[in-house]
Amino acid sequence: MVYVGVIGAGLCSSEVSGWAEAVGAGIARRQGVLICGGMGGVMEAAARGARREGGLVVGVLPGNDRKEGNPYLSLSLATGLGDARNAVIARASDVLIAIDGGYGTLSEIGLALKMGRPVIGLGTWRIESSKGPDGGIIAAADPEEAVALAFREAGRIRPLER
Amino acid sequence: MVYVGVIGAGLCSSEVSGWAEAVGAGIARRQGVLICGGMGGVMEAAARGARREGGLVVGVLPGNDRKEGNPYLSLSLATGLGDARNAVIARASDVLIAIDGGYGTLSEIGLALKMGRPVIGLGTWRIESSKGPDGGIIAAADPEEAVALAFREAGRIRPLER
Amino acid sequence: MVYVGVIGAGLCSSEVSGWAEAVGAGIARRQGVLICGGMGGVMEAAARGARREGGLVVGVLPGNDRKEGNPYLSLSLATGLGDARNAVIARASDVLIAIDGGYGTLSEIGLALKMGRPVIGLGTWRIESSKGPDGGIIAAADPEEAVALAFREAGRIRPLER
Amino acid sequence: MVYVGVIGAGLCSSEVSGWAEAVGAGIARRQGVLICGGMGGVMEAAARGARREGGLVVGVLPGNDRKEGNPYLSLSLATGLGDARNAVIARASDVLIAIDGGYGTLSEIGLALKMGRPVIGLGTWRIESSKGPDGGIIAAADPEEAVALAFREAGRIRPLER
């Protein structure tokens, strides 16, 4: 069983929401567990897509009350950690798919890459270090490719954590 | 759906293990979600009992690798937070059952009571504040009563967090 | 340099406040760094005592804004972690002094003992495990003895973390 | 008093180390408190620069033992939180200076911007969202400008947290 983190902003356009829903559905069809931040926007759309296909969705919430989670979570875990819960999302996932996203998503991309978790990007941040373009984020052209890449990367031997 | 945290030590006697397994089974029979620390001892026995009855068990691990979790978890969440994950277990649970237990369990009892989560005790710590015996832990005589008390308390309106 | 955690409730009687102020002053006179939760009650009184003697006081706050700290902190660190910051206080301290205290203090006692940090108690929780009275908390009769015991214990080789 | 976070990798070139030392010295000359991750590379060089000028340096360590911190820390705080301590560094700082840096630094940039903390960049990550170049990181040309910008930004009214 592969645990796929889906990260993105709590508010998003309907186009991005459509991508997230397709990503969630694809993860569920491949029997993956979807880990997300449990709130709205990309998190909610991905959860909705996964549940439609009978998938299991875990929301790792920043706040104190699990009722704050979106209605599509199989499990809503209140952590009370605030933004530090982003580190839990990265750590708990075998691989992550970043969809569009704001600064919180950027932090999760950084945390995941630091922990050696592969990150697939779908219309998300482009990052360039002082040495030039950074190949850490694996770009996908559409939701189907994003899911396919995630399951391919999750099965690879990965380098040690940096 | 009620989220019941089961807390206890990573090493325990066979008697305590039997209690934990019965508690886990009871939670599953009442359709509760079992939240635990995901490691051995009480956590493993409770998870085994719940899975035997078809229940859902979430392990909230202190370490970085979800493969460290015991084999009875439905979901193994690596947090990488070390002992700070005890606060996540308390926060994510609607009610907790403390079974025997060491200092980590004591910390979870304190955190849960601080957060306004009811704590049922089965052969666990007795605590007495500077003002005298503290009624924070609700004592149960056996596993069945512990589970019954947990579901009763989870349904109550609770005072504001202290 | 010894880092001494002082733990206790955010509201306390004037008697307890006097103990905390004396403990803070004693830590500063011995050149210790005082680590606390940064809020009111015992934390504020201990900080005030330490600053009066020219000591260094660090507040490890649960919230997002360092201006929430009490006015006697040399350093006010906002963690945003909520109650999980209790684990940071225990981890950052070489030894802790628990003064009276509520459930948060109980959680810090448990976390500290779990981490192998000695805990000195001054009118604080009495704890008894399923095996009987637990000697984990070293009782002090007054603030002076609490400080003396803390510096004695901080210098000892301690057993491995449990 | 301004709390300035200095973030960067645990290993760095001698050129980057020189920048970090100059940044640390500049923060100390302006009476700022330097917050960092407490380890080697950029963190150690910045700490060394600040201590040379009599500054106060706090290391917020990922591990369990404060002796793991670099030798230039005024205060070495072991958090035991692993990479989640990055969120504490961002939260505890009024403003941050990112110097070169790896994925951990990228995560701290994301967390800080999410929390509404200004981030000054010195030869660090360039980030571009799906909407185009993102102006969140304020670029500095050299260490002196980085410090000047940090103190200017820390004094501004900032928009609400996003």
Side-chain angles (χ1 to χ4, degrees):
Chain A
M1 204 159 52
V2 177
Y3 288 19
V4 185
V6 176
I7 55 179
L11 290 171
C12 67
S13 68
S14 62
E15 184 189 18
V16 168
S17 177
W19 297 348
E21 189 160 349
V23 163
I27 293 167
R29 278 195 296 268
R30 289 175 185 245
Q31 318 296 333
V33 172
L34 195 160
I35 310 279
C36 71
M39 305 304 284
V42 162
M43 300 170 260
E44 180 164 347
R48 190 171 54 235
R51 292 304 291 279
R52 179 162 46 78
E53 299 289 329
L56 184 64
V57 181
V58 183
V60 179
L61 307 185
N64 290 339
D65 185 350
R66 69 180 172 93
K67 288 190 287 294
E68 292 166 3
N70 72 58
Y72 304 102
L73 305 176
S74 312
L75 269 166
S76 180
L77 295 177
T79 67
L81 294 171
D83 295 311
R85 76 83 149 81
N86 291 5
V88 176
I89 292 171
R91 187 60 78 184
S93 302
D94 299 323
V95 56
L96 294 96
I97 301 176
I99 305 177
D100 190 54
Y103 293 134
T105 310
L106 181 65
S107 77
E108 290 165 319
I109 291 171
L111 287 161
L113 293 174
K114 177 74 159 54
M115 295 171 186
R117 268 65 170 161
V119 176
I120 316 301
L122 186 60
T124 191
W125 291 94
R126 277 179 294 280
I127 58 174
E128 191 172 309
S129 81
S130 59
K131 285 118 204 147
D134 183 272
I137 303 175
I138 302 168
D142 56 47
E144 288 64 38
E145 192 189 12
V147 173
L149 286 168
F151 280 80
R152 186 192 77 186
E153 291 297 317
R156 296 208 173 173
I157 305 287
R158 287 193 296 276
L160 287 176
E161 202 167 301
R162 288 193 265 181
Chain B
M1 203 158 54
V2 176
Y3 288 20
V4 185
V6 176
I7 55 179
L11 291 171
C12 67
S13 69
S14 61
E15 183 189 19
V16 167
S17 177
W19 297 348
E21 190 161 349
V23 163
I27 293 168
R29 278 195 296 268
R30 290 178 184 242
Q31 318 294 332
V33 173
L34 194 159
I35 310 278
C36 71
M39 305 305 285
V42 161
M43 300 170 260
E44 180 164 348
R48 190 171 55 235
R51 292 304 291 282
R52 178 160 49 77
E53 298 289 329
L56 184 64
V57 181
V58 183
V60 179
L61 307 185
N64 289 341
D65 185 350
R66 70 180 171 90
K67 289 191 285 295
E68 292 166 2
N70 72 57
Y72 304 102
L73 304 175
S74 312
L75 270 164
S76 179
L77 296 176
T79 67
L81 295 172
D83 295 311
R85 75 83 149 82
N86 292 5
V88 176
I89 293 172
R91 188 59 80 184
S93 302
D94 299 323
V95 57
L96 295 95
I97 301 176
I99 305 177
D100 191 52
Y103 293 134
T105 310
L106 181 65
S107 77
E108 291 166 318
I109 291 170
L111 286 161
L113 293 175
K114 177 73 157 58
M115 295 171 186
R117 267 64 170 164
V119 176
I120 316 301
L122 187 60
T124 192
W125 292 92
R126 276 178 295 280
I127 57 176
E128 191 171 311
S129 80
S130 60
K131 285 119 203 144
D134 183 272
I137 302 174
I138 302 167
D142 56 47
E144 289 64 39
E145 191 189 14
V147 174
L149 286 168
F151 280 80
R152 186 191 77 185
E153 291 298 316
R156 295 208 173 174
I157 305 288
R158 289 193 296 276
L160 288 175
E161 203 168 300
R162 289 194 265 182
Chain C
M1 202 159 53
V2 177
Y3 288 19
V4 185
V6 177
I7 55 180
L11 291 171
C12 67
S13 69
S14 62
E15 184 189 16
V16 168
S17 178
W19 297 349
E21 190 161 348
V23 163
I27 293 168
R29 278 194 298 266
R30 288 175 185 244
Q31 319 294 332
V33 172
L34 194 159
I35 311 278
C36 71
M39 304 306 284
V42 162
M43 301 170 259
E44 181 164 346
R48 190 171 54 235
R51 291 304 292 280
R52 179 164 44 81
E53 299 290 329
L56 184 63
V57 182
V58 183
V60 180
L61 307 185
N64 289 340
D65 185 349
R66 69 179 172 92
K67 290 191 285 295
E68 293 166 2
N70 72 57
Y72 303 103
L73 305 176
S74 312
L75 270 166
S76 179
L77 296 177
T79 67
L81 296 171
D83 295 311
R85 75 84 148 81
N86 291 4
V88 176
I89 293 172
R91 188 59 80 184
S93 303
D94 299 323
V95 57
L96 295 96
I97 301 176
I99 305 177
D100 190 52
Y103 292 135
T105 309
L106 181 65
S107 77
E108 292 166 317
I109 292 170
L111 286 161
L113 293 174
K114 178 72 159 57
M115 295 172 187
R117 267 63 171 164
V119 176
I120 315 301
L122 186 60
T124 191
W125 292 91
R126 275 177 296 279
I127 59 175
E128 192 171 309
S129 80
S130 59
K131 286 117 204 147
D134 183 273
I137 303 175
I138 303 168
D142 56 48
E144 288 64 37
E145 192 189 13
V147 174
L149 285 168
F151 280 79
R152 186 192 77 185
E153 290 298 316
R156 296 209 173 172
I157 306 287
R158 286 194 296 278
L160 288 176
E161 202 167 303
R162 289 194 264 181
Chain D
M1 202 158 53
V2 176
Y3 288 20
V4 185
V6 176
I7 55 179
L11 290 170
C12 66
S13 69
S14 62
E15 185 190 17
V16 168
S17 178
W19 297 349
E21 190 160 349
V23 163
I27 293 168
R29 278 195 296 267
R30 288 175 185 245
Q31 320 294 332
V33 172
L34 195 159
I35 310 279
C36 71
M39 304 305 284
V42 161
M43 300 169 261
E44 180 164 346
R48 190 171 55 235
R51 292 304 292 279
R52 177 162 48 77
E53 298 290 330
L56 183 65
V57 181
V58 183
V60 179
L61 308 185
N64 289 341
D65 185 349
R66 68 180 173 91
K67 290 190 286 294
E68 293 166 3
N70 72 57
Y72 304 102
L73 305 175
S74 313
L75 269 166
S76 179
L77 295 177
T79 67
L81 295 172
D83 295 312
R85 75 82 148 82
N86 291 5
V88 176
I89 293 172
R91 187 59 79 183
S93 302
D94 299 323
V95 56
L96 294 96
I97 301 176
I99 304 177
D100 191 52
Y103 292 135
T105 310
L106 181 64
S107 77
E108 291 166 319
I109 291 170
L111 286 161
L113 293 174
K114 178 72 158 58
M115 296 171 187
R117 268 63 170 163
V119 176
I120 315 301
L122 187 60
T124 192
W125 292 92
R126 276 178 296 280
I127 57 174
E128 192 171 309
S129 81
S130 60
K131 285 118 204 147
D134 183 274
I137 303 175
I138 303 167
D142 57 46
E144 288 65 37
E145 192 188 14
V147 174
L149 286 168
F151 279 80
R152 185 192 77 185
E153 291 298 315
R156 294 206 175 176
I157 305 287
R158 288 193 298 276
L160 287 176
E161 203 167 301
R162 289 193 267 181

